[in-house]
Amino acid sequence: MGRGRAIGGGDCLKMTTMSDTNLKYREAALAASQHPQPDWLKLFRSRAWNEFEKLGFPTTQHEEWKYCNVRPISEGEFQSPLVFSQQTNGYIENLGDDDAYLLAFVNGIYDITASKISDAPVGLTIDSLASVLKNIPDLVKPHLANYANFEGEAFVALNTATFVDGAVVRVADNVVVEKPIFLVNYTTSGTAAPVRNLVIMERNSQATVIEIFLSENETSFSNIVTEIVVSESAVLNHTKVQLEGGNANHISTQVIEQSKSSVFDSQNICLGASLARTTIYARLGAEHIECTIDGLYCLNNNQLVDNHTTIDHAFPNCNSFELYKGVMDEKSTGVFNGKIFVRQDAQKTDSKQTNQNLLLSDDATINTKPQLEIYADDVRCTHGATVGRLDPNALFYLQARGIGAEEARSILVHAFANEVIQRVKPVGLRTELEKRLYQKLG
Amino acid sequence: MLTIDNLQAKVEDKQILRGINLQINPGEIHAIMGPNGSGKSTLANVLAGRDMYEVNGGSVEFNGQDLLDLDPEVRAREGLFLAFQYPVEIPGVNNTYFLRAAVNAVRKHHGEPELDGAQFLKFAREKAKLVELDPTLMNRSVNEGFSGGEKKRNEIFQMAVLNPKLAILDETDSGLDIDALRIVANGVNALRSPDRSFLIVTHYQRLLDYIVPDFVHVLVDGRIVKSGGKELALELEEKGYAWVEEELLAGAIA
Ligand SMILES: Nc1ncnc2c1ncn2[C@@H]1O[C@H](COP(=O)(O)OP(=O)(O)OP(=O)(O)O)[C@@H](O)[C@H]1O
Ligand SMILES: [Mg+2]
């Protein structure tokens, strides 16, 4: 900080701000390290903090952040969520399925009154991470911070250093959880909220986990890391729904570690926030794995939504499918960067990646970059990206049958987006998402 | 019903309609024939309100209203229907959902209560029978993956459901096998009534064997150059369009 001041000029101001920001996060990291937790985690956290300090927030000079300017975060003024705000009671709107387990978090801190977990069956652990770390840390020790690598990853490092709480979902061997498990996160205005989630699917288990992100309307910053372990022959349906307020900043990192014959089937639905970046990394670490990573982003205003996905085929005989669809209206910007790695040993890989985009205005932008890196020779891999506008012939066809221009447009946009929504498993949530889509796109 | 007066239209600086005059009274069936590229589909699309075509002269009156002044959806709600020469495929839009939205838009326009899903389905199923439309097509996306004939039948099905005052059929007969042709024609004939009119664009006399027109017009190079009764279609079939053009030329010289 001192050095910054000595230089003088505009740069000085910027550096000072930066350091002040860091100072605030340092306090948050310090506070986080004082919660009850095992020593191994404390060690991780201090290393993570050092890494964050070394890296600072990424800039657009960074290849992976080229189109994702995080200045609203790096220069934003956010408070740490040290105080639990009771005013947020009732924040959980009915997002569909009443018959579900629910873990609620406000600013990344467990809200027991809003949660519904009392009837969880034997073999299903759903709990707050803070409580697990305090009472049964060995449950998460093999997994927590084991997959989401913070080296070179500023936001993962920051999350690892500063998180206080989050969700732990663990489904024991051979247990099939029928009801969906909702993890609902709500961020209040002016807050920087780290959220740390861990989903452990043990052998031959099955479950559906939904992560929902909501926020107040004024600026906020949620920084989420979700680690997901899908053990041998386990099946996990996973949906992430980002519905944060129009001024929110949302950074999320999702890391999936899959074992033999496991199935991971997911949708990443992104409708809210001003700036939203989701990074997904799936490692297919054994044979006969199936991994589906679908996504939908619908943007308007000045929204910037950046989806970076990586599917890493390290072993033979695995399938991966990825369909990402985007609708960009007004002055919004979408980014899709999808990497598929097929490593040398990953023979007989079957991989299909598609990114389709609909631009509804002249001022909307999409940067799409599907990437396929294949080091094996006996594989079937396809990928492709399209960018288009609404088909004027289809629009006229609808109008010629009496349907108004606005409604016709809406029907076509929804038809486009619906393909991904229809893959969401819980019926109530699916209906709710269709409704939200209408609200958003008219 | 419809009065077209000296209608002119162009697309991308290319003049296509060069002064069309046509009067269609309630209950009448008019057939339009003419060589490829003469402007038949252009006329049909201009009447339906396709904005790709620029109207640069003339007027069209439809049941007392200035048709050209209405948005395409309003034209449809007022009872104008176009069966497209090339029906477009719309992936992701369910055929039944789409048609219910259309029917309800029309009903709303006329101050009638909207039909709910069950009511509409019952109504639509009856109409599907009329044109012998495979009911599974109703649950598919609009025209997506339909065969050529299925698309045309779907157009006639939509016509039957929407119950228009003036139906324009643009080559609905092309691509149909003999059976389908008869079914489509039966569909049209079933809708024939003293207050409903048809404008049928076709290249073939065979459709007109089933749907007997009151008038036949020949469109050449953006103008109606000859009109007559149903026997004109037979004559055209026999002698070809060259005959009309020669006659025209002779007339011009004389
Ligand atoms: N969108 C367009 N852009 C350019 N030219 C067009 C367009 N639409 C029509 N035309 C031209 O206008 C002329 C008339 O076309 P139209 O489709 O009306 O003919 P038609 O009489 O229906 O022919 P057919 O019997 O082959 O269906 C043709 O020369 C065609 O190429
Ligand atoms: Mg034509």
Side-chain angles (χ1 to χ4, degrees):
Chain A
M1 195 160 67
R3 209 158 58 96
R5 283 210 176 104
I7 295 165
D11 273 340
C12 150
L13 237 173
K14 215 163 154 187
M15 280 194 70
T16 311
T17 318
M18 182 68 186
S19 301
D20 281 351
T21 306
N22 276 8
L23 206 62
K24 218 174 287 164
Y25 290 120
R26 179 196 288 277
E27 280 168 21
L30 195 67
S33 72
Q34 282 158 4
H35 286 265
Q37 60 196 285
D39 286 341
W40 54 263
L41 182 59
K42 287 188 180 173
L43 194 69
F44 268 132
R45 285 176 181 283
S46 74
R47 279 175 39 210
W49 175 256
N50 290 340
E51 183 70 7
F52 174 69
E53 233 180 7
K54 188 183 95 193
L55 295 171
F57 287 107
T59 68
T60 50
Q61 304 291 310
H62 193 302
E63 184 58 29
E64 299 299 324
W65 296 84
K66 194 169 165 187
Y67 301 108
C68 190
N69 190 336
V70 300
R71 267 169 66 181
I73 294 170
S74 60
E75 294 178 6
E77 294 278 326
F78 302 106
Q79 300 301 316
S80 293
L82 298 178
V83 191
F84 183 85
S85 162
Q86 285 298 331
Q87 291 163 353
T88 53
N89 274 350
Y91 58 90
I92 298 180
E93 300 159 65
N94 182 19
L95 275 170
D97 303 73
D98 293 330
D99 197 20
Y101 305 109
L102 171 65
L103 271 188
F105 297 85
V106 175
N107 295 330
I109 298 170
Y110 183 46
D111 179 357
I112 192 164
T113 56
S115 297
K116 271 197 331 199
I117 52 169
S118 52
D119 58 343
V122 176
L124 169 63
T125 310
I126 20 178
D127 205 344
S128 105
L129 177 58
S131 136
V132 169
L133 287 172
K134 188 176 160 194
N135 302 315
I136 38 169
D138 285 352
L139 182 79
V140 297
K141 186 176 176 188
H143 305 295
L144 186 65
N146 196 25
Y147 312 105
N149 186 5
F150 55 70
E151 271 144 40
E153 300 290 339
F155 287 102
V156 178
L158 180 63
N159 175 287
T160 307
T162 59
F163 78 80
V164 175
D165 207 347
V168 176
V169 176
R170 173 190 153 263
V171 186
D173 285 358
N174 303 314
V175 171
V176 175
V177 181
E178 298 290 347
K179 292 191 208 176
I181 301 162
F182 280 71
L183 313 177
V184 179
N185 301 270
Y186 186 88
T187 308
T188 59
S189 293
T191 309
V195 179
R196 186 77 181 210
N197 295 329
L198 178 61
V199 178
I200 308 163
M201 300 296 296
E202 295 189 340
R203 293 179 53 208
N204 206 30
S205 64
Q206 291 184 27
T208 298
V209 174
I210 321 291
E211 291 183 71
I212 292 180
F213 297 93
L214 307 165
S215 82
E216 285 183 332
N217 265 329
E218 296 313 310
T219 179
S220 58
F221 164 37
S222 51
N223 181 19
I224 305 105
V225 173
T226 300
E227 289 174 294
I228 296 171
V229 187
V230 194
S231 308
E232 188 176 333
S233 301
V235 177
L236 178 64
N237 299 308
H238 180 264
T239 305
K240 180 194 164 198
V241 181
Q242 192 273 104
L243 296 169
E244 293 197 24
N247 296 301
N249 301 287
H250 174 98
I251 304 282
S252 126
T253 308
Q254 191 178 307
V255 181
I256 302 108
E257 177 75 22
Q258 282 191 261
S259 295
K260 193 176 163 200
S261 304
S262 65
V263 176
F264 178 70
D265 187 354
S266 71
Q267 307 86 36
N268 167 20
I269 313 268
C270 189
L271 300 181
S274 158
L275 162 65
R277 160 71 174 242
T278 301
T279 308
I280 296 176
Y281 181 87
R283 200 177 90 88
L284 281 46
E287 289 196 54
H288 301 293
I289 288 169
E290 194 158 306
C291 177
T292 303
I293 292 185
D294 294 329
L296 172 68
Y297 41 105
C298 291
L299 325 179
N300 56 15
N301 293 327
N302 285 304
Q303 273 188 292
L304 168 65
V305 169
D306 182 341
N307 285 302
H308 267 60
T309 67
T310 304
I311 300 175
D312 190 348
H313 284 264
F315 287 83
N317 296 309
C318 295
N319 302 334
S320 70
F321 307 99
E322 180 171 17
L323 172 66
Y324 260 75
K325 291 189 131 182
V327 180
M328 271 67 52
D329 200 358
E330 297 171 354
K331 294 181 171 170
S332 63
T333 304
V335 183
F336 174 79
N337 184 305
K339 294 191 190 75
I340 310 272
F341 289 121
V342 181
R343 298 189 188 269
Q344 207 168 352
D345 289 338
Q347 300 296 357
K348 307 277 181 203
T349 290
D350 188 348
S351 173
K352 185 168 197 272
Q353 182 194 58
T354 313
N355 175 230
Q356 298 172 344
N357 297 286
L358 200 52
L359 293 177
L360 298 182
S361 103
D362 289 340
D363 298 324
T365 309
I366 175 72
N367 297 294
T368 173
K369 190 174 181 188
Q371 288 167 271
L372 208 48
E373 282 188 33
I374 305 178
Y375 302 98
D377 47 28
D378 183 15
V379 299
R380 199 172 69 190
C381 297
T382 61
H383 72 154
T386 59
V387 179
R389 290 170 185 278
L390 285 181
D391 175 6
N393 295 319
L395 268 176
F396 182 66
Y397 192 85
L398 297 181
Q399 281 179 275
R401 296 298 176 252
I403 298 171
E406 274 309 301
E407 192 186 352
R409 183 175 173 269
S410 161
I411 286 175
L412 294 180
V413 173
H414 286 269
F416 176 82
N418 224 356
E419 189 177 358
V420 176
I421 303 262
Q422 288 313 313
R423 296 181 181 191
V424 172
K425 297 285 179 313
V427 182
L429 177 64
R430 204 160 62 213
T431 311
E432 179 67 23
L433 287 172
E434 284 168 9
K435 212 167 81 192
R436 298 271 176 153
L437 207 63
Y438 266 105
Q439 280 166 5
K440 172 142 197 176
L441 297 168
Chain B
M1 172 84 53
L2 187 79
T3 308
I4 304 176
D5 182 20
N6 192 27
L7 182 65
Q8 298 165 48
K10 61 178 191 176
V11 61
E12 289 167 4
D13 288 333
K14 182 179 171 194
Q15 194 68 37
I16 299 169
L17 302 185
R18 301 165 186 273
I20 303 270
N21 294 296
L22 185 64
Q23 166 81 34
I24 300 179
N25 296 312
E28 289 177 355
I29 297 192
H30 290 241
I32 292 198
M33 307 182 83
N36 294 131
S38 58
K40 303 180 299 294
S41 293
T42 302
L43 174 63
N45 277 281
V46 165
L47 293 176
R50 185 78 208 249
D51 63 4
M52 184 163 85
Y53 303 96
E54 188 197 328
V55 174
N56 56 349
S59 66
V60 182
E61 192 202 293
F62 178 55
N63 287 327
Q65 295 191 70
D66 178 359
L67 184 76
L68 301 178
D69 206 32
L70 305 177
D71 286 334
E73 57 266 33
V74 179
R75 299 182 195 195
R77 293 170 194 165
E78 287 288 327
L80 188 132
F81 180 89
L82 169 62
F84 288 87
Q85 182 173 5
Y86 304 110
V88 56
E89 300 195 6
I90 314 182
V93 178
N94 175 276
N95 215 8
T96 304
Y97 171 84
F98 146 70
L99 203 49
R100 181 156 80 96
V103 165
N104 281 336
V106 174
R107 291 179 68 94
K108 210 168 147 191
H109 183 74
H110 294 290
E112 297 164 13
E114 298 187 14
L115 297 181
D116 66 26
Q119 289 168 322
F120 176 75
L121 216 58
K122 187 166 172 287
F123 169 66
R125 286 213 180 104
E126 282 165 23
K127 300 295 179 186
K129 253 186 233 146
L130 182 75
V131 293
E132 295 176 35
L133 184 85
D134 175 357
T136 62
L137 294 182
M138 284 168 61
N139 296 323
R140 301 224 324 240
S141 291
V142 179
N143 294 325
E144 191 185 27
F146 286 25
S147 74
E150 285 170 341
K151 283 181 185 167
K152 295 302 176 82
R153 245 191 255 202
N154 196 30
E155 295 291 290
I156 296 302
F157 166 59
Q158 291 175 26
M159 178 182 78
V161 166
L162 288 167
N163 214 14
K165 294 194 180 91
L166 172 67
I168 303 167
L169 311 187
D170 190 0
E171 292 197 32
T172 304
D173 53 334
S174 45
L176 291 183
D177 62 36
I178 292 293
D179 288 341
L181 187 73
R182 198 178 311 120
I183 291 160
V184 164
N186 287 344
V188 170
N189 286 328
L191 288 177
R192 243 183 133 152
S193 86
D195 49 11
R196 183 174 294 121
S197 312
F198 291 86
L199 180 60
I200 296 175
V201 175
T202 181
H203 284 291
Y204 304 106
Q205 164 59 32
R206 57 173 201 169
L207 179 69
L208 304 180
D209 287 340
Y210 295 107
I211 309 172
V212 181
D214 300 301
F215 300 95
V216 174
H217 310 277
V218 184
L219 189 70
V220 176
D221 199 16
R223 282 191 196 91
I224 290 178
V225 295
K226 197 171 173 65
S227 297
K230 59 177 189 281
E231 60 298 335
L232 178 56
L234 286 166
E235 219 171 339
L236 280 169
E237 181 112 315
E238 209 176 293
K239 301 182 182 165
Y241 296 117
W243 159 68
V244 184
E245 285 170 49
E246 277 163 26
E247 229 190 32
L248 269 179
L249 210 61
I253 292 164

